């Protein structure tokens, strides 16, 4: 697991690239593929900037991504599959690359979408940008599959060296464009982009992605979160953005300050309902922990429950996977 964790660090690395090491990795990858070393290596501050550079390159020649990245990976995978067998390969992937795949692939897709959004404001322009992105080797964001082959041969050494030391890169016959790594990366415990006080991902040239718990949001939207009011939340027409506002503001605070009224109460707690235009109702149960805190007070919790919940007991039971009639705790904690 140690090398898996090291590749996890690679995928999340921020700060300046080691340009000399990355360039040597590029040359190594070309030599391994049987290609002449590129005559020109150009650095970009971000994947967005790299796409712009690629589009203006003169005499770069054709893309050699197939020779440099796709074919070596496929052949190494076949070699390992033949050596380990189906069960062995599956176990290896589960213990290595699969640990990183989901979050890293999602991050790469968000970067692609951000580049397209910035460089192709009109739908008819998207195709050209996406074609350039198809030529990219993902560098640090290829960490998942590189982790599976770490220590199992030197065929992918060049690719691994670039990944450890730089971001995305574009290999062509006569030239290579390499992107710096991001300067900022904020993610939540699930590995999703998440930051409420600025960009969740940002590069040195200003290319940035904004997100709250994985959901893309406009930069201006985050700027107003600190000054939210119940009235502003109710005014928001976009249901997804309104949900983000409620999460940031706090459902309990919103209930208190918006003058919401309870719809049911019983021995288990109080059921509250927030009606939202264009979205399902937010329904929550307010419960009080029967076990006192060290200072003698009792902590209040707010439990989000399904919109169809009719009673507080039914809502509390749902959090335990039970029907309301079956919920009869000896002592509530």
């Amino acid at each position: 697991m140690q090398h898996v964790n090291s590749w996890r660090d690679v995928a999340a690395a921020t700060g300046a690239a080691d340009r000399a090491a990355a360039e040597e990795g590029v040359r190594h990858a070309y030599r391994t593929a049987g290609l002449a070393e590129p005559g020109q290596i150009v650095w970009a501050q971000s994947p967005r900037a790299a796409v712009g550079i690629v589009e203006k390159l003169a005499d770069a020649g054709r893309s050699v991504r197939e020779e440099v990245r796709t074919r070596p990976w496929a052949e190494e995978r076949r070699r390992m599959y033949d050596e380990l067998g189906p069960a062995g390969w599956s176990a290896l992937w589960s213990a290595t690359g699969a640990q990183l795949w989901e979050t890293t692939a999602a991050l790469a897709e968000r970067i692609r979408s951000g580049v397209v959004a910035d460089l192709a404001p009109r739908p008819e322009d998207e195709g050209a940008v996406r074609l350039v992105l198809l030529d990219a080797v993902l560098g640090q964001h290829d960490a998942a599959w590189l982790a599976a082959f770490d220590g199992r041969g030197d065929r992918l050494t060049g690719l691994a060296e670039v990944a450890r030391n730089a971001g995305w890169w574009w290999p062509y016959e006569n030239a290579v464009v390499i992107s710096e790594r991001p300067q900022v990366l904020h993610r939540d415990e699930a590995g999703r982009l998440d930051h409420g006080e600025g960009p969740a991902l940002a590069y040195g040239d200003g290319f940035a992605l904004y997100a709250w718990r994985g959901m893309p949001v406009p930069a201006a939207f985050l700027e107003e979160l600190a000054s939210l009011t119940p009235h502003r939340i109710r005014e928001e027409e976009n249901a997804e953005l309104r949900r983000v506002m409620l999460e940031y503001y706090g459902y309990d605070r919103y209930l208190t300050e918006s003058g919401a009224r309870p719809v049911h109460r019983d021995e288990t707690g109080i059921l509250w309902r927030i009606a939202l235009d264009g979205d399902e109702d937010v329904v929550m149960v307010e419960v009080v922990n029967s076990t006192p805190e060290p200072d003698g007070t009792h902590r209040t919790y707010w439990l989000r429950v399904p919109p169809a919940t009719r009673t507080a007991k039914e809502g509390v039971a749902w959090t335990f996977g039970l029907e309301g009639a079956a919920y009869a705790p000896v002592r509530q904690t």
Side-chain angles (χ1 to χ4, degrees):
M1 282 297 295
Q2 183 176 356
H3 71 274
V4 175
N5 288 332
S6 72
W7 282 108
R8 193 187 310 278
D9 292 341
V10 167
T14 57
D18 183 333
R19 295 193 174 192
E23 291 180 12
E24 181 51 40
V26 166
R27 297 186 185 99
H28 191 142
Y30 271 64
R31 293 194 299 268
T32 301
L35 300 171
E37 295 180 8
Q40 181 184 18
I41 296 179
V42 181
W43 281 85
Q45 287 296 309
S46 70
R48 180 185 66 183
V51 169
I53 292 172
V54 167
E55 290 177 329
K56 297 174 183 176
L57 275 180
D59 302 320
R62 65 177 179 85
S63 171
V64 292
R65 184 181 188 276
E66 172 72 22
E67 294 95 319
V68 169
R69 192 271 194 191
T70 306
R71 190 179 302 157
W73 178 86
E75 291 175 356
E76 283 299 283
R77 181 183 182 281
R78 170 53 60 184
R79 179 179 69 83
M80 294 305 303
Y81 186 90
D82 292 343
E83 179 180 316
L84 300 174
W89 166 254
S90 179
L92 174 65
W93 176 252
S94 295
T96 55
Q99 304 295 314
L100 312 178
W101 177 259
E102 186 173 345
T103 55
T104 307
L107 177 58
E109 185 55 36
R110 284 296 315 280
I111 292 172
R112 288 190 195 94
S113 298
V115 171
V116 171
D118 276 14
L119 297 183
R122 301 180 304 171
E124 56 266 34
D125 298 330
E126 290 185 8
V129 176
R130 293 188 185 280
L131 283 175
V132 176
L133 288 168
L134 286 175
D135 289 340
V137 180
L138 302 188
Q140 68 180 123
H141 297 140
D142 272 333
W145 65 267
L146 287 168
F149 299 107
D150 196 354
R152 297 177 178 275
D154 57 7
R155 178 82 184 275
L156 306 178
T157 298
L159 293 171
E161 282 306 299
V162 183
R164 288 190 180 100
N165 295 288
W168 296 18
W169 56 291
W170 282 255
Y172 296 92
E173 282 182 295
N174 306 316
V176 170
V177 177
I178 312 177
S179 170
E180 284 280 354
R181 296 180 294 207
Q183 295 292 311
V184 171
L185 175 64
H186 296 283
R187 297 191 286 188
D188 64 11
E189 63 279 356
R192 303 171 300 183
L193 288 178
D194 177 46
H195 196 46
E197 299 176 356
L201 178 79
Y203 286 82
D205 63 351
F207 173 57
L209 301 176
Y210 296 80
W212 174 264
R213 296 181 183 175
M215 179 183 156
V217 296
F221 173 80
L222 291 179
E223 294 174 1
E224 68 170 324
L225 287 181
S227 59
L228 281 177
T229 64
H231 177 71
R232 172 65 185 93
I233 293 171
R234 286 193 298 271
E235 278 190 332
E236 177 55 53
E237 296 180 355
N238 183 299
E240 289 296 327
L241 293 181
R242 188 167 58 226
R243 192 167 300 172
V244 171
M245 288 176 168
L246 281 167
E247 289 179 356
Y248 185 90
Y249 197 74
Y251 292 104
D252 53 346
R253 182 183 173 195
Y254 180 86
L255 285 168
T256 300
E257 297 182 7
S258 64
R261 295 183 177 181
V263 295
H264 181 267
R265 72 175 70 221
D266 56 30
E267 72 279 6
T268 64
I270 305 172
L271 186 72
W272 298 82
R273 182 180 298 275
I274 307 172
L276 299 174
D277 292 339
D279 197 5
E280 64 182 19
D281 289 356
V282 173
V283 180
M284 307 191 74
V285 181
E286 177 186 354
V287 297
V288 178
N289 190 349
S290 61
T291 302
E293 298 296 306
D295 62 1
T297 60
H298 293 262
R299 182 173 295 181
T300 299
Y301 292 94
W302 299 81
L303 310 175
R304 180 94 183 257
V305 296
T309 303
R310 296 168 300 175
T311 69
K313 183 176 181 180
E314 182 183 332
V316 174
W318 177 83
T319 68
F320 289 98
L322 300 172
E323 298 291 333
Y327 179 68
V330 174
R331 185 185 182 201
Q332 201 170 337
T333 59

